[in-house]
Amino acid sequence: MLGAARDPILVPEISQHEVEVRQGFTGTELLLFGAILDPAGTRAGRDYDIVVVLKGPTRSITVREKQKHLGIWVNAESAEFRSAPTFYAVASSRPIDRIVDTRTAAIYELGLPFLQLSPIGTIDPGIQARFSAGLVALMAGDTLYQQNADAVQVKEQVLYQARIKLPSNVQTGTYTAETFAIARGRVVASAISRVEVSKQGFEKGIADFARNDGLVYGLLVVAISVGMGWLAGRLFALR
């Protein structure tokens, strides 16, 4: 809880704390819900906005610009970001700009324009902004970055719920779901839940093999590729 004893308490929950990625996985929908209570455990007496942020594990990501040279698209400038989330979704009871000011949104990373994407090395602020916008656009195009205003329903200032879709191309790892209660532009309470996304079945076996026996896995992939190429050549020759 953030703030004094008069501030509310958030009691969050998630419909699934474990998501299994198996063969044919087409994505899933998470229901994030909970209650807003006062410190005595009764109904909160004020009007609150709720913002829910679901964030996946972070990793370094390199973004490259394409330029056309002599009729061919080639890589041009690039920027590498140290810790970009592999998934990010924000759902709110109203548009973010009607709930908090830009400073508060930046502090808590409430919304795609306020993601803290730290570049590796020194980079001009204008260039950094361009590549950051490019990364967000690319991830949003794959539905890995989402922003949904009016997606949180609050009933009688006690119960809230939001639905966030995980696409089929999500990365495995630990996802954090942070819920914020906001009153008069100030974050007055927050709470965190977690979701584990993991590979199961055949996909898990392949991933474990690649991680534990990388050399053998690499040689096997090369051998299969060569074998498939030889087989395709033979079939073509027979025709």
Side-chain angles (χ1 to χ4, degrees):
M1 183 178 67
L2 303 178
R6 66 180 181 277
D7 290 334
I9 298 171
L10 283 170
V11 184
E13 190 52 86
I14 305 178
S15 57
Q16 294 177 252
H17 286 279
E18 295 184 1
V19 175
E20 296 181 352
V21 178
R22 297 180 178 272
Q23 186 174 7
F25 178 72
T26 58
T28 189
E29 184 178 73
L30 297 178
L31 174 64
L32 299 95
F33 61 97
I36 315 165
L37 305 173
D38 72 9
T42 58
R43 170 179 170 171
R46 286 183 287 171
D47 291 338
Y48 297 100
D49 280 296
I50 296 293
V51 179
V52 179
V53 176
L54 181 64
K55 190 180 296 185
T58 60
R59 64 182 176 91
S60 62
I61 296 179
T62 300
V63 180
R64 294 183 174 86
E65 283 187 328
K66 295 285 189 179
Q67 287 185 353
K68 206 167 188 179
H69 182 67
L70 299 177
I72 300 175
W73 288 101
V74 297
N75 290 330
E77 290 186 274
S78 65
E80 185 175 3
F81 294 93
R82 182 180 295 106
S83 57
T86 54
F87 180 86
Y88 173 92
V90 57
S92 54
S93 53
R94 291 188 295 159
I96 296 294
D97 60 2
R98 295 174 57 189
I99 298 175
V100 294
D101 57 24
T102 56
R103 179 177 178 275
T104 303
I107 291 173
Y108 295 100
E109 294 186 278
L110 304 180
L112 294 177
F114 303 104
L115 274 175
Q116 303 299 316
L117 300 171
S118 302
I120 295 177
T122 303
I123 184 172
D124 178 86
I127 296 176
Q128 177 183 341
R130 187 173 83 245
F131 276 98
S132 296
L135 173 59
V136 169
L138 288 171
M139 298 294 277
D142 290 333
T143 65
L144 291 170
Y145 283 5
Q146 307 169 18
Q147 181 161 337
N148 303 303
D150 303 314
V152 178
Q153 298 179 0
V154 183
K155 295 184 178 179
E156 299 181 355
Q157 293 303 310
V158 179
L159 303 177
Y160 70 87
Q161 69 172 29
R163 297 180 183 275
I164 295 178
K165 292 183 178 180
L166 291 179
S168 60
N169 54 338
V170 292
Q171 297 289 314
T172 57
T174 301
Y175 287 60
T176 59
E178 189 163 13
T179 304
F180 300 91
I182 301 170
R184 298 185 181 91
R186 185 174 71 92
V187 175
V188 295
S190 68
I192 295 179
S193 299
R194 289 177 173 81
V195 179
E196 290 291 335
V197 179
S198 60
K199 291 183 181 294
Q200 298 295 329
F202 179 74
E203 286 76 8
K204 183 178 186 298
I206 293 296
D208 290 344
F209 180 32
R211 182 174 61 254
N212 299 327
D213 297 287
L215 178 60
V216 176
Y217 175 79
L219 293 174
L220 183 61
V221 169
V222 172
I224 292 175
S225 299
V226 172
M228 293 297 291
W230 176 84
L231 180 60
R234 293 289 296 172
L235 291 174
F236 183 79
L238 290 175
R239 294 182 180 181

PDB file of all heavy atoms in Angstrom, residues 66-83:
ATOM      1  N   LYS A  66      15.441   0.190 -41.852  1.00  0.00           N
ATOM      2  CA  LYS A  66      15.674  -0.265 -43.214  1.00  0.00           C
ATOM      3  C   LYS A  66      15.721   0.940 -44.149  1.00  0.00           C
ATOM      4  O   LYS A  66      14.924   1.858 -44.032  1.00  0.00           O
ATOM      5  CB  LYS A  66      14.550  -1.213 -43.652  1.00  0.00           C
ATOM      6  CG  LYS A  66      14.478  -2.512 -42.868  1.00  0.00           C
ATOM      7  CD  LYS A  66      15.561  -3.477 -43.249  1.00  0.00           C
ATOM      8  CE  LYS A  66      15.340  -4.839 -42.609  1.00  0.00           C
ATOM      9  NZ  LYS A  66      16.379  -5.808 -42.995  1.00  0.00           N
ATOM     10  N   GLN A  67      16.665   0.911 -45.067  1.00  0.00           N
ATOM     11  CA  GLN A  67      16.759   1.934 -46.102  1.00  0.00           C
ATOM     12  C   GLN A  67      16.899   1.256 -47.459  1.00  0.00           C
ATOM     13  O   GLN A  67      17.502   0.187 -47.582  1.00  0.00           O
ATOM     14  CB  GLN A  67      17.960   2.850 -45.856  1.00  0.00           C
ATOM     15  CG  GLN A  67      17.791   3.811 -44.697  1.00  0.00           C
ATOM     16  CD  GLN A  67      18.947   4.774 -44.574  1.00  0.00           C
ATOM     17  OE1 GLN A  67      19.958   4.653 -45.285  1.00  0.00           O
ATOM     18  NE2 GLN A  67      18.815   5.760 -43.681  1.00  0.00           N
ATOM     19  N   LYS A  68      16.335   1.928 -48.480  1.00  0.00           N
ATOM     20  CA  LYS A  68      16.403   1.378 -49.816  1.00  0.00           C
ATOM     21  C   LYS A  68      17.651   1.901 -50.512  1.00  0.00           C
ATOM     22  O   LYS A  68      17.852   3.117 -50.639  1.00  0.00           O
ATOM     23  CB  LYS A  68      15.157   1.757 -50.612  1.00  0.00           C
ATOM     24  CG  LYS A  68      14.823   0.785 -51.732  1.00  0.00           C
ATOM     25  CD  LYS A  68      13.426   1.037 -52.275  1.00  0.00           C
ATOM     26  CE  LYS A  68      13.011  -0.045 -53.250  1.00  0.00           C
ATOM     27  NZ  LYS A  68      11.631   0.183 -53.765  1.00  0.00           N
ATOM     28  N   HIS A  69      18.538   0.984 -50.925  1.00  0.00           N
ATOM     29  CA  HIS A  69      19.782   1.349 -51.586  1.00  0.00           C
ATOM     30  C   HIS A  69      19.896   0.564 -52.887  1.00  0.00           C
ATOM     31  O   HIS A  69      19.940  -0.663 -52.886  1.00  0.00           O
ATOM     32  CB  HIS A  69      20.980   1.036 -50.677  1.00  0.00           C
ATOM     33  CG  HIS A  69      22.300   1.427 -51.263  1.00  0.00           C
ATOM     34  ND1 HIS A  69      22.660   2.746 -51.476  1.00  0.00           N
ATOM     35  CD2 HIS A  69      23.340   0.668 -51.687  1.00  0.00           C
ATOM     36  CE1 HIS A  69      23.874   2.775 -51.995  1.00  0.00           C
ATOM     37  NE2 HIS A  69      24.302   1.529 -52.140  1.00  0.00           N
ATOM     38  N   LEU A  70      19.902   1.299 -54.012  1.00  0.00           N
ATOM     39  CA  LEU A  70      19.960   0.674 -55.348  1.00  0.00           C
ATOM     40  C   LEU A  70      18.830  -0.340 -55.531  1.00  0.00           C
ATOM     41  O   LEU A  70      19.019  -1.416 -56.098  1.00  0.00           O
ATOM     42  CB  LEU A  70      21.321   0.006 -55.568  1.00  0.00           C
ATOM     43  CG  LEU A  70      22.548   0.938 -55.522  1.00  0.00           C
ATOM     44  CD1 LEU A  70      23.826   0.133 -55.684  1.00  0.00           C
ATOM     45  CD2 LEU A  70      22.440   2.012 -56.598  1.00  0.00           C
ATOM     46  N   GLY A  71      17.669   0.024 -55.002  1.00  0.00           N
ATOM     47  CA  GLY A  71      16.497  -0.833 -55.182  1.00  0.00           C
ATOM     48  C   GLY A  71      16.403  -1.982 -54.206  1.00  0.00           C
ATOM     49  O   GLY A  71      15.477  -2.791 -54.295  1.00  0.00           O
ATOM     50  N   ILE A  72      17.341  -2.069 -53.260  1.00  0.00           N
ATOM     51  CA  ILE A  72      17.356  -3.178 -52.302  1.00  0.00           C
ATOM     52  C   ILE A  72      17.243  -2.613 -50.883  1.00  0.00           C
ATOM     53  O   ILE A  72      17.928  -1.649 -50.542  1.00  0.00           O
ATOM     54  CB  ILE A  72      18.650  -4.010 -52.421  1.00  0.00           C
ATOM     55  CG1 ILE A  72      18.770  -4.581 -53.832  1.00  0.00           C
ATOM     56  CG2 ILE A  72      18.675  -5.133 -51.388  1.00  0.00           C
ATOM     57  CD1 ILE A  72      20.073  -5.304 -54.086  1.00  0.00           C
ATOM     58  N   TRP A  73      16.385  -3.218 -50.072  1.00  0.00           N
ATOM     59  CA  TRP A  73      16.256  -2.804 -48.684  1.00  0.00           C
ATOM     60  C   TRP A  73      17.409  -3.382 -47.872  1.00  0.00           C
ATOM     61  O   TRP A  73      17.634  -4.593 -47.864  1.00  0.00           O
ATOM     62  CB  TRP A  73      14.927  -3.274 -48.101  1.00  0.00           C
ATOM     63  CG  TRP A  73      13.744  -2.519 -48.634  1.00  0.00           C
ATOM     64  CD1 TRP A  73      12.872  -2.926 -49.590  1.00  0.00           C
ATOM     65  CD2 TRP A  73      13.321  -1.213 -48.222  1.00  0.00           C
ATOM     66  NE1 TRP A  73      11.928  -1.970 -49.829  1.00  0.00           N
ATOM     67  CE2 TRP A  73      12.167  -0.894 -48.995  1.00  0.00           C
ATOM     68  CE3 TRP A  73      13.783  -0.282 -47.291  1.00  0.00           C
ATOM     69  CZ2 TRP A  73      11.492   0.300 -48.862  1.00  0.00           C
ATOM     70  CZ3 TRP A  73      13.103   0.923 -47.159  1.00  0.00           C
ATOM     71  CH2 TRP A  73      11.976   1.205 -47.933  1.00  0.00           C
ATOM     72  N   VAL A  74      18.147  -2.521 -47.208  1.00  0.00           N
ATOM     73  CA  VAL A  74      19.297  -2.945 -46.403  1.00  0.00           C
ATOM     74  C   VAL A  74      19.178  -2.339 -45.002  1.00  0.00           C
ATOM     75  O   VAL A  74      18.466  -1.350 -44.786  1.00  0.00           O
ATOM     76  CB  VAL A  74      20.635  -2.509 -47.050  1.00  0.00           C
ATOM     77  CG1 VAL A  74      20.820  -3.175 -48.403  1.00  0.00           C
ATOM     78  CG2 VAL A  74      20.694  -0.979 -47.196  1.00  0.00           C
ATOM     79  N   ASN A  75      19.904  -2.950 -44.046  1.00  0.00           N
ATOM     80  CA  ASN A  75      19.920  -2.418 -42.684  1.00  0.00           C
ATOM     81  C   ASN A  75      20.703  -1.109 -42.647  1.00  0.00           C
ATOM     82  O   ASN A  75      21.767  -0.984 -43.264  1.00  0.00           O
ATOM     83  CB  ASN A  75      20.567  -3.419 -41.731  1.00  0.00           C
ATOM     84  CG  ASN A  75      19.700  -4.645 -41.514  1.00  0.00           C
ATOM     85  OD1 ASN A  75      18.480  -4.562 -41.574  1.00  0.00           O
ATOM     86  ND2 ASN A  75      20.316  -5.783 -41.262  1.00  0.00           N
ATOM     87  N   ALA A  76      20.173  -0.141 -41.907  1.00  0.00           N
ATOM     88  CA  ALA A  76      20.841   1.158 -41.758  1.00  0.00           C
ATOM     89  C   ALA A  76      21.207   1.338 -40.285  1.00  0.00           C
ATOM     90  O   ALA A  76      21.879   0.499 -39.700  1.00  0.00           O
ATOM     91  CB  ALA A  76      19.940   2.275 -42.262  1.00  0.00           C
ATOM     92  N   GLU A  77      20.752   2.417 -39.670  1.00  0.00           N
ATOM     93  CA  GLU A  77      21.061   2.660 -38.264  1.00  0.00           C
ATOM     94  C   GLU A  77      20.347   1.659 -37.366  1.00  0.00           C
ATOM     95  O   GLU A  77      19.317   1.091 -37.733  1.00  0.00           O
ATOM     96  CB  GLU A  77      20.653   4.080 -37.873  1.00  0.00           C
ATOM     97  CG  GLU A  77      21.500   5.180 -38.467  1.00  0.00           C
ATOM     98  CD  GLU A  77      21.115   6.544 -37.895  1.00  0.00           C
ATOM     99  OE1 GLU A  77      20.190   7.157 -38.440  1.00  0.00           O
ATOM    100  OE2 GLU A  77      21.742   6.964 -36.897  1.00  0.00           O
ATOM    101  N   SER A  78      20.909   1.446 -36.181  1.00  0.00           N
ATOM    102  CA  SER A  78      20.291   0.530 -35.226  1.00  0.00           C
ATOM    103  C   SER A  78      20.478   1.067 -33.816  1.00  0.00           C
ATOM    104  O   SER A  78      21.344   1.908 -33.563  1.00  0.00           O
ATOM    105  CB  SER A  78      20.886  -0.874 -35.336  1.00  0.00           C
ATOM    106  OG  SER A  78      22.249  -0.866 -34.960  1.00  0.00           O
ATOM    107  N   ALA A  79      19.662   0.569 -32.905  1.00  0.00           N
ATOM    108  CA  ALA A  79      19.775   0.915 -31.486  1.00  0.00           C
ATOM    109  C   ALA A  79      19.433  -0.329 -30.681  1.00  0.00           C
ATOM    110  O   ALA A  79      18.517  -1.083 -31.039  1.00  0.00           O
ATOM    111  CB  ALA A  79      18.843   2.063 -31.120  1.00  0.00           C
ATOM    112  N   GLU A  80      20.168  -0.549 -29.604  1.00  0.00           N
ATOM    113  CA  GLU A  80      19.924  -1.708 -28.741  1.00  0.00           C
ATOM    114  C   GLU A  80      19.409  -1.228 -27.394  1.00  0.00           C
ATOM    115  O   GLU A  80      19.988  -0.335 -26.777  1.00  0.00           O
ATOM    116  CB  GLU A  80      21.200  -2.532 -28.553  1.00  0.00           C
ATOM    117  CG  GLU A  80      20.972  -3.815 -27.768  1.00  0.00           C
ATOM    118  CD  GLU A  80      22.212  -4.688 -27.695  1.00  0.00           C
ATOM    119  OE1 GLU A  80      23.249  -4.258 -28.217  1.00  0.00           O
ATOM    120  OE2 GLU A  80      22.125  -5.783 -27.124  1.00  0.00           O
ATOM    121  N   PHE A  81      18.308  -1.843 -26.956  1.00  0.00           N
ATOM    122  CA  PHE A  81      17.712  -1.489 -25.679  1.00  0.00           C
ATOM    123  C   PHE A  81      18.036  -2.577 -24.667  1.00  0.00           C
ATOM    124  O   PHE A  81      17.894  -3.769 -24.943  1.00  0.00           O
ATOM    125  CB  PHE A  81      16.205  -1.298 -25.826  1.00  0.00           C
ATOM    126  CG  PHE A  81      15.845  -0.116 -26.686  1.00  0.00           C
ATOM    127  CD1 PHE A  81      15.627  -0.267 -28.052  1.00  0.00           C
ATOM    128  CD2 PHE A  81      15.745   1.152 -26.136  1.00  0.00           C
ATOM    129  CE1 PHE A  81      15.314   0.819 -28.843  1.00  0.00           C
ATOM    130  CE2 PHE A  81      15.428   2.246 -26.919  1.00  0.00           C
ATOM    131  CZ  PHE A  81      15.218   2.087 -28.273  1.00  0.00           C
ATOM    132  N   ARG A  82      18.446  -2.145 -23.485  1.00  0.00           N
ATOM    133  CA  ARG A  82      18.977  -3.057 -22.473  1.00  0.00           C
ATOM    134  C   ARG A  82      17.909  -3.961 -21.874  1.00  0.00           C
ATOM    135  O   ARG A  82      18.141  -5.153 -21.661  1.00  0.00           O
ATOM    136  CB  ARG A  82      19.656  -2.250 -21.370  1.00  0.00           C
ATOM    137  CG  ARG A  82      20.294  -3.086 -20.258  1.00  0.00           C
ATOM    138  CD  ARG A  82      20.933  -2.209 -19.207  1.00  0.00           C
ATOM    139  NE  ARG A  82      22.062  -1.456 -19.748  1.00  0.00           N
ATOM    140  CZ  ARG A  82      22.038  -0.148 -20.023  1.00  0.00           C
ATOM    141  NH1 ARG A  82      20.932   0.554 -19.810  1.00  0.00           N
ATOM    142  NH2 ARG A  82      23.091   0.465 -20.508  1.00  0.00           N
ATOM    143  N   SER A  83      16.746  -3.433 -21.574  1.00  0.00           N
ATOM    144  CA  SER A  83      15.745  -4.209 -20.824  1.00  0.00           C
ATOM    145  C   SER A  83      14.337  -3.855 -21.272  1.00  0.00           C
ATOM    146  O   SER A  83      13.585  -3.214 -20.538  1.00  0.00           O
ATOM    147  CB  SER A  83      15.897  -3.969 -19.316  1.00  0.00           C
ATOM    148  OG  SER A  83      15.788  -2.587 -19.017  1.00  0.00           O
TER     149      SER A  83
END
